[in-house]
Amino acid sequence: MKNGLLVFLMVSVLVLNACAQWQATTQPTGGQVEPAQSQGTYKIGVMLPLTGDAAAYGLPIQKSIKIALDEVNAKGGVNGRMLEPVYEDSKCNPKDGNAAAQKLVNVDKVKVIIGGVCSGETMGAAPITEANKVILISPSATSPDITKVGDFVFRVAPSDAYAGTVAAQYAYNELNAKKAAIIAETTDYTQGLAKVFMEQFTKLGGEVAVDEMYNPEDTDFRTQVAKVKAANSDVIYILPQAPAKGILLIKQLKEAGVTTQLLTAEVLIGRNIVAENGADMEGIIGIEQKFDEKNPKAASLLVKYKQQAKEDAPFPGYMSGAYDIVYLLSDAIAKNGYDSEKIRDYLYNVEDYDGAVGKITLDENGDPTMEYSILQVKNGVLVPAQATPHK
């Protein structure tokens, strides 16, 4: 009897354990089986550059994401569950972006990923997320090619198809530049901008006399600088992937005696970059998505960021977009559960969402439409650009 009772008890324990495990893996949300990984939490994948030159904007964006996650979790999370971030260093390139997505999708079993920050890592991740029906939503990847990479890919930063056009129009119409030179890094982001600028500038009637490139590992730009100087252009459009190489390029242009008006994109006009390199950057004109720091949500984020990071937000537009993504995903999960297809459908229906970055409406390609600001470095700070037309 004792042996029989012992066997009975052991079998009962095994059955109860099996039932408990079955219940933990089959909690219904949105009509689908909830993955076992989300016991008590919803995992949110986050892939961004945490090391290397691009960490200059990857780390501030990560801090903005954490601020939003902490806010949501402090209010009880979503549907009674905490949001649990899983961070991967995607290093701003396609190879590491692909590897980060593979790990987040296949090992961590996430259904949503915030990222990448750079266009290259986003493009590298997209085939993985698309094949597995995982949401990939970026705060700052702007290559025009991202528009067509998949049905589960979104972003809250405008395509360079618009930014490159704005740059070309400003150069031709406001600076009266008829001959332009381009120096761009060989990445998806910078080459996308260069291509659009070239197409639009020539369409307006201008000439791109020099189109020079450099590799991410390069530090000596004297060959490119010499060609640009010899072209005697009216404006030089410089496009680094990360600020460090951009500052180095500016210094080498100045050392060569180049005094031509410099035009650039948002990466090089981060507030901390301008503050630290004001003398070298004096007069440079940069184009970034329009951002209202007095927006209540943005103002709150910027105050919290400064309190935590002990610095002003270097890329407030992108950082606000990252903050907004957390809230968009929280709302989508609250209404639809941890169901990527329903989250996808929710995102395609986002219209006039009142975010820190401003009003967000996502189109049929998962892209937002936003306005731009044209700013210039004057005495170490950014101010609205005052065009001095080329004569």
Side-chain angles (χ1 to χ4, degrees):
M1 286 293 292
K2 288 182 179 180
N3 288 340
L5 180 60
L6 180 61
V7 170
F8 173 79
L9 290 173
M10 290 176 65
V11 171
S12 298
V13 169
L14 289 172
V15 169
L16 289 171
N17 283 339
C19 290
Q21 290 176 7
W22 178 83
Q23 287 180 329
T25 59
T26 57
Q27 297 299 318
T29 303
Q32 287 197 353
V33 172
E34 190 79 0
Q37 58 86 25
S38 60
Q39 296 171 2
T41 67
Y42 291 118
K43 285 190 177 181
I44 307 295
V46 184
M47 48 173 281
L48 29 67
L50 301 175
T51 57
D53 289 344
Y57 39 90
L59 291 174
I61 288 174
Q62 182 190 35
K63 290 186 177 77
S64 301
I65 292 169
K66 185 178 184 302
I67 289 171
L69 289 169
D70 288 347
E71 289 177 356
V72 172
N73 287 337
K75 296 174 183 177
V78 179
N79 298 333
R81 299 186 181 194
M82 299 294 102
L83 299 182
E84 178 188 351
V86 183
Y87 297 105
E88 288 296 322
D89 184 1
S90 41
K91 301 180 182 177
C92 198
N93 68 71
K95 178 182 176 182
D96 288 292
N98 185 278
Q102 295 253 22
K103 193 262 185 181
L104 289 169
V105 170
N106 296 319
V107 177
D108 299 299
K109 306 298 184 184
V110 303
K111 290 296 182 182
V112 294
I113 298 175
I114 302 174
V117 165
C118 303
S119 294
E121 63 191 4
T122 306
M123 298 282 284
I128 304 302
T129 56
E130 193 67 16
N132 290 276
K133 296 184 177 181
V134 170
I135 299 295
L136 181 67
I137 180 167
S138 171
S140 53
T142 55
S143 169
D145 293 335
I146 291 172
T147 296
K148 300 178 181 179
V149 295
D151 194 36
F152 286 79
V153 181
F154 299 84
R155 54 182 163 182
V156 297
S159 167
D160 289 332
Y162 304 111
T165 298
V166 171
Q169 290 173 343
Y170 186 82
Y172 190 85
N173 296 325
E174 303 300 324
L175 297 178
N176 195 33
K178 299 301 181 278
K179 184 191 289 188
I182 301 172
I183 306 179
E185 194 166 334
T186 54
T187 66
D188 292 299
Y189 158 66
T190 54
Q191 290 303 308
L193 272 171
K195 179 182 177 183
V196 172
F197 178 90
M198 186 182 304
E199 290 173 350
Q200 296 300 319
F201 191 74
T202 54
K203 186 182 293 185
L204 289 167
E207 173 195 357
V208 177
V210 177
D211 179 19
E212 283 294 304
M213 293 181 281
Y214 65 89
N215 296 316
E217 65 273 13
D218 292 346
T219 56
D220 185 346
F221 310 117
R222 285 176 294 183
T223 299
Q224 293 91 337
V225 168
K227 291 181 181 180
V228 166
K229 185 177 181 180
N232 194 29
S233 61
D234 304 327
V235 65
I236 303 172
Y237 193 33
I238 60 173
L239 297 168
Q241 177 66 60
K245 294 295 173 63
I247 297 300
L248 191 56
L249 175 56
I250 290 172
K251 288 180 177 180
Q252 292 184 20
L253 283 163
K254 290 199 169 188
E255 288 168 359
V258 175
T259 58
T260 307
Q261 175 65 60
L262 300 182
L263 186 64
T264 191
E266 66 281 331
V267 160
L268 199 45
I269 55 170
R271 278 47 177 177
N272 59 341
I273 308 303
V274 171
E276 294 167 6
N277 302 278
D280 288 319
M281 297 183 69
E282 183 68 18
I284 193 170
I285 295 173
I287 296 168
E288 68 176 16
Q289 67 186 69
K290 196 169 184 178
F291 175 75
D292 181 10
E293 63 183 20
K294 295 180 181 179
N295 173 331
K297 288 184 179 180
S300 175
L301 168 64
L302 298 181
V303 167
K304 288 184 178 181
Y305 179 84
K306 188 169 185 176
Q307 289 173 343
Q308 295 181 17
K310 310 302 180 187
E311 66 172 7
D312 289 327
F315 303 97
Y318 287 162
M319 294 164 65
S320 294
Y323 176 90
D324 289 338
I325 287 173
V326 173
Y327 276 94
L328 284 169
L329 292 176
S330 298
D331 189 50
I333 295 170
K335 292 176 179 177
N336 301 290
Y338 201 59
D339 182 326
S340 60
E341 293 186 69
K342 291 184 178 180
I343 295 171
R344 174 201 60 188
D345 295 342
Y346 167 94
L347 292 172
Y348 275 123
N349 285 286
V350 168
E351 184 174 357
D352 286 335
Y353 173 81
D354 189 16
V357 77
K359 295 289 186 181
I360 301 174
T361 296
L362 299 177
D363 66 16
E364 67 276 9
N365 297 310
D367 288 343
T369 300
M370 294 182 174
E371 297 179 346
Y372 286 86
S373 295
I374 302 174
L375 305 172
Q376 188 168 25
V377 179
K378 290 287 187 181
N379 300 317
V381 296
L382 283 167
V383 299
Q386 298 293 321
T388 303
H390 177 80
K391 298 179 180 179

